[in-house]
Structure formats: C-alpha cells, structure tokens
Amino acid sequence: KQEVTQIPAALSVPEGENLVLNCSFTDSAIYNLQWFRQDPGKGLTSLLLIQSSQREQTSGRLNASLDKSSGRSTLYIAASQPGDSATYLCAVDGAEKLTFGTGTRLTIIP
Amino acid sequence: GEEVAQTPKHLVRGEGQKAKLYCAPIKGHSYVFWYQQVLKNEFKFLISFQNENVFDETGMPKERFSAKCLPNSPCSLEIQATKLEDSAVYFCASSPIPLNTGELFFGEGSRLTVL
C-alpha cells in the first residue's frame, strides 16, 4: 500500500527566503506526482505535474523535482511571498487514483 | 464549464438522515473522482468514474455510500443514514484523460456536518 509523507508538517519563513518542501513515497511504481496548494476553506489548486519519466518541472518561482528510485520529490519555492502561505500537498498516481501526502502548512512572515 | 462545480457548499444533517452531494465536472472531462477530507489534510479516495461507468470503487464504504455519473446530469454522491464520522469535506475532481498521463482538477468541496 502506497504511503506518502511530507516533512515538515508546518514551516514559517520570512518573506523573500527560498524554501524547500519535501515529499516521500514508499512505492516507486508511480505514473506521476502532482503538487497542489490548498488555501483555507478552499479546494486544491494544481501547481505542477511531473511524469515518472521526468526529473523536474518548473513554473514561475516553483520548481519540483522527482527521484522515483529513492521515492522522493521536492518543491522549491524561490523568493517567497505572503501570498504563498497555504498548505502544500503532494500526491502520487500509481493506480489511476491519487494517494495524498499529509501536507505542509506554510506561513510566509511579511 | 471551465471549473469543477460542487453543490451544496455546506450541508448539515442529523445523524441517520440522508445526504446528497453534486458535482459537475469540467466540460469535456471524461474522468470524475470523489475524495473525502476528514481531518485537516487526510484525503481519502472514494470512487472514480470513466463517463457513466464506475472505474474504481475500492474506497467506498459500500453499506451507506453510493455514487452515480449519468449522461447529461451532474454526478452525485449519496450517503444513506449518515453517521457522525461522515462529517468531512467531500471533493470532486475531473480529468480529460487517464490519470496516469494527466493532472486532476478539483472543485472547492462540499462540507458535510453530521450532528
């Protein structure tokens, strides 16, 4: 059974800093990995999708990497802004359904 | 539509009552998924559809939960005889292609509170 873990569970950083969120999964037989953000009381917004054959994806200040063999992904956020404050979730697809991580609650301090 | 639309946003039911939630996937999306978020970040897969056919229902508590996606109608998730532990936010998501090659687009969720 796939298990997805995110570390840390919560993170507070001053505005302008670069930061890294971590995601690990136990079964490396995945098709893809997706990073989402969730704002309080809202749904999930897709940030980046990495196919299993890819090593990284970039979108603006966000960069996600994937190391399938070691079961790890990282989300790098450059020059953080208060608007980046949200919960970030990673999810892996191994059987036509997503298994979600536990999430990292990110707070950017102005 | 251009987004996954879920109704109602909030639903309150007494224990034992029925609850029914609706989801209109993005137009042209053939795949629909239901997820349950019980605690803050614990997402549990319930069921998925390919058009009107059940694709995977391994997450469904079959005794009280049922779901449908009929042509020309919103998809629905129904809970008979709700229990306190059914209190959660239920998310619907859709995708235009199989999940192993594409991303999933989520609605804003329906919050069910069972008293």
Side-chain angles (χ1 to χ4, degrees), chain A residues 32 46 51 96-98 102, chain B residues 35 41 58 99-101 103:
Chain A
N32 57 51
S46 178
Q51 300 291 352
E96 289 294 331
K97 60 189 175 192
L98 294 181
T102 46
Chain B
Y35 281 85
N41 294 322
T58 53
L99 194 58
N100 61 5
T101 51
E103 61 185 294

Side-chain angles (χ1 to χ4, degrees), chain B residues 2-114:
Chain B
E2 293 294 318
E3 59 182 25
V4 178
Q6 291 189 246
T7 56
K9 289 195 184 305
H10 302 279
L11 187 62
V12 180
R13 286 288 180 265
E15 203 172 7
Q17 291 185 316
K18 184 174 74 175
K20 195 165 186 177
L21 310 175
Y22 297 91
C23 167
I26 294 172
K27 192 175 180 181
H29 284 199
S30 306
Y31 297 84
V32 172
F33 299 76
W34 284 98
Y35 281 85
Q36 179 193 55
Q37 186 181 27
V38 177
L39 298 175
K40 274 191 173 181
N41 294 322
E42 291 189 24
F43 279 82
K44 180 190 171 189
F45 168 80
L46 294 176
I47 190 169
S48 61
F49 289 84
Q50 181 180 1
N51 296 309
E52 63 267 27
N53 304 308
V54 173
F55 189 80
D56 183 341
E57 57 181 349
T58 53
M60 285 284 270
K62 291 186 181 177
E63 307 81 47
R64 299 180 296 108
F65 283 59
S66 63
K68 292 179 185 176
C69 276
L70 300 176
N72 303 313
S73 297
C75 297
S76 64
L77 176 69
E78 188 168 2
I79 308 172
Q80 302 284 345
T82 52
K83 297 183 177 181
L84 295 177
E85 63 258 32
D86 298 331
S87 293
V89 181
Y90 291 84
F91 286 98
C92 176
S94 70
S95 174
I97 55 177
L99 194 58
N100 61 5
T101 51
E103 61 185 294
L104 209 49
F105 297 87
F106 280 79
E108 295 216 333
S110 291
R111 179 178 295 278
L112 172 65
T113 301
V114 181

Side-chain angles (χ1 to χ4, degrees), chain A residues 19-71:
Chain A
L19 58 100
V20 174
L21 306 180
N22 297 291
C23 171
S24 61
F25 45 96
T26 55
D27 186 349
S28 61
I30 65 169
Y31 292 114
N32 57 51
L33 182 145
Q34 204 167 347
W35 281 93
F36 296 90
R37 70 174 277 169
Q38 184 177 31
D39 294 285
K42 298 290 185 181
L44 300 177
T45 301
S46 178
L47 298 173
L48 289 163
L49 171 71
I50 311 178
Q51 300 291 352
S52 61
S53 58
Q54 298 174 321
R55 299 284 289 185
E56 64 178 318
Q57 281 286 342
T58 298
S59 175
R61 295 183 294 109
L62 305 180
N63 176 277
S65 68
L66 174 63
D67 184 343
K68 204 173 79 158
S69 61
S70 67

